[in-house]
Amino acid sequence: MGIIIRLVITAVSLWIATLVISGISLDTDSLPGKAGTLLAVAIIFGIINAVLRPIIKTVGCGLYVLTLGLISLVVNGLLFMLTSWIAGQADLPFHVDDFWPSAVLGALIVGVVSWVLNMLVPDGSDD
C-alpha cells in the first residue's frame, strides 16, 4: 500500500510541476488521460531514481563533497530530462523543454512537493 501512496504522491507532485513551470507540458485534454500519463511518468521517474541515483551518488561522491551537495540539482535535472525522454519514447504526452530552468526547477518542485506530501500522508508504517 505504501508504494501506491508514494506513486500517487509523485504523480501529484509532477502535476503541480506542470502547472508551475511553463517548460513542462502535459499535452492531453481528458482528465483520465492526464491521470494515466502522470501515473506512468511517476513510475518511470521512480524506476530511474531507484536504479540510477545510487550509482551516480557512489561514482560522483567527490563532486557531492566538493560542491557541498549542489551537484545534486544538476543530477536531479538530468534525471528529470531522462524521464521526459523515456516518456517521449513511450508516446506519453509529457515533455520537459530544456535543462535550465525547466528540468532543474521541475525536479526541485517535484522533490519538495513529494517531501511535503510524504510528511503529511501516513504510509501505514506509523502504526
Side-chain angles (χ1 to χ4, degrees):
M1 188 67 174
I3 293 174
I4 294 172
I5 291 172
R6 287 191 186 105
L7 180 66
V8 170
I9 286 173
T10 304
V12 168
S13 63
L14 285 165
W15 174 66
I16 291 172
T18 62
L19 296 177
V20 174
I21 306 294
S22 62
I24 301 173
S25 60
L26 183 60
D27 300 324
T28 184
D29 292 329
S30 69
L31 187 59
K34 285 183 181 182
T37 299
L38 288 170
L39 287 173
V41 172
I43 290 170
I44 294 168
F45 193 57
I47 291 171
I48 287 173
N49 280 323
V51 172
L52 291 180
R53 184 178 304 270
I55 296 169
I56 292 170
K57 281 189 174 183
T58 302
V59 171
C61 182
L63 282 175
Y64 278 89
V65 172
L66 185 66
T67 63
L68 302 174
L70 291 177
I71 192 72
S72 65
L73 293 173
V74 174
V75 170
N76 290 341
L78 290 172
L79 293 176
F80 205 62
M81 288 291 293
L82 180 61
T83 302
S84 172
W85 181 79
I86 292 173
Q89 296 299 311
D91 289 331
L92 294 172
F94 178 84
H95 181 69
V96 178
D97 288 339
D98 49 6
F99 176 73
W100 177 258
S102 300
V104 173
L105 293 179
L108 188 62
I109 287 174
V110 167
V112 169
V113 171
S114 293
W115 176 73
V116 169
L117 291 177
N118 277 314
M119 296 296 288
L120 296 175
V121 177
D123 62 355
S125 64
D126 296 337
D127 295 337

